[in-house]
Amino acid sequence: MRLDAFLSHAGLGTRNEVKHLIRKGKVTVDGAVCRQSPAQVSRDQTITCHGEPVMVPPAVLHCLLHKPLGYACSRSAEEGPLVFDLLPELWRRVVDPAGRLDRATSGLLLLTTDGGLIHRLINPKKKLPKRYRIGYRGMLADNAVARCAEGLLLDDDERPTVPAELTLHERADDLNRATLVLTEGRYHQVRRMIAALGGDVMELHRDRIGQLDLPADLAPGECREASPEELAALGKAE
Ligand code: URA
């Protein structure tokens, strides 16, 4: 990679800004000042700027986040706090979330550098199941389970939802409880489906994507790299 591209990738500024730093002799490669922006460098070399080592984000990164309530899946600072705020600084710019969870939804979110993987996780044609645990108020229609299995036509949508598996649970606290497994991800889909069936979602948590359960070691707000086994459970190889 060119030295100016490397520095820019590391977040030291735009291509023009880093070229200026290089010309001024602020950058060293393996201990020697380098004033050539096109010089080829690699990750194994020691590169400094203003005497500080330059850290570059990993080229490939798959990260699991336990998204807490109150965080937006967005890059827009006005919408903060953002899920990116929960990631190490070096990871923030290089990963994108595989789909979105609403600000008021918690649970498992994959963020990755791999656009192909994102596509496989969110493309409804791949039919990858995502499981949502729901706490709701109100009474759902008697035929709610069958209607989800058939597909529901939601307001503002042209097509019915694809078949989804709704399971109703015993009420254990002040909310009614249900689980919904979806293989697509439309805007506010769970909330809109439950509303169409007569309920009002008060709590929403995603605890499984594909064969991968939200890892027990990830407390709300925590993230870490996904293991090869976890990626396989997400269907990465398919
Ligand atoms: N459905 C919703 O309504 N919200 C989410 O965050 C995910 C699915």
Side-chain angles (χ1 to χ4, degrees):
M1 192 190 273
R2 284 172 57 117
L3 179 57
D4 52 358
F6 183 93
L7 296 178
S8 197
H9 186 56
L12 268 70
T14 63
R15 265 316 239 282
N16 278 339
E17 285 164 350
V18 301
K19 277 181 180 158
H20 184 71
L21 291 171
I22 296 167
R23 264 200 311 276
K24 289 261 183 193
K26 305 295 181 197
V27 177
T28 67
V29 178
D30 288 338
V33 172
C34 179
R35 293 176 192 269
Q36 307 302 321
S37 287
Q40 290 294 312
V41 294
S42 72
R43 290 170 176 272
D44 327 323
Q45 291 178 288
T46 305
I47 298 175
T48 70
C49 182
H50 296 295
E52 297 290 328
V54 177
M55 311 291 282
V56 276
V60 178
L61 176 66
H62 311 292
C63 152
L64 300 176
L65 172 69
H66 184 164
K67 179 194 172 299
L69 299 174
Y71 283 75
C73 291
S74 162
R75 292 253 176 219
S76 158
E78 301 96 73
E79 292 181 46
L82 309 176
V83 288
F84 298 101
D85 302 338
L86 299 164
L87 307 183
E89 181 111 34
L90 266 186
W91 294 8
R92 287 181 196 167
R93 276 173 306 112
V94 292
V95 292
D96 285 305
R100 288 167 178 237
L101 291 176
D102 305 335
R103 190 190 296 279
T105 303
S106 57
L108 179 58
L109 185 68
L110 176 86
L111 297 107
T112 174
T113 51
D114 183 343
L117 177 58
I118 293 179
H119 179 73
R120 288 199 294 285
L121 292 189
I122 67 177
N123 184 346
K125 289 193 187 133
K126 304 285 178 191
K127 294 196 168 70
L128 188 75
K130 286 115 194 164
R131 189 171 72 193
Y132 294 90
R133 303 288 187 184
I134 306 165
Y136 66 95
R137 294 227 163 94
M139 289 284 289
L140 298 192
D142 288 344
N143 58 356
V145 171
R147 284 174 64 193
C148 287
E150 282 159 16
L152 282 176
L153 189 58
L154 300 173
D155 286 348
D156 301 329
D157 284 2
E158 287 173 359
R159 293 168 293 107
T161 55
V162 301
E165 192 186 326
L166 177 69
T167 309
L168 303 174
H169 303 294
E170 289 285 311
R171 187 180 172 127
D173 51 20
D174 59 330
L175 293 178
N176 296 314
R177 299 278 161 190
T179 302
L180 186 58
V181 179
L182 300 182
T183 56
E184 58 179 348
R186 301 186 193 183
Y187 176 71
H188 286 184
Q189 183 165 347
V190 174
R191 295 174 199 280
R192 290 163 66 220
M193 286 177 72
I194 296 297
L197 296 166
D200 189 7
V201 172
M202 309 306 292
E203 290 177 7
L204 187 53
H205 178 77
R206 181 163 69 191
D207 71 344
R208 189 170 169 91
I209 302 176
Q211 301 299 310
L212 180 65
D213 289 320
L214 175 65
D217 66 320
L218 277 185
E222 287 185 354
C223 68
R224 63 163 168 74
E225 279 193 69
S227 68
E229 294 74 29
E230 288 169 333
L231 290 172
L234 282 171
K236 178 165 163 49
E238 284 158 27

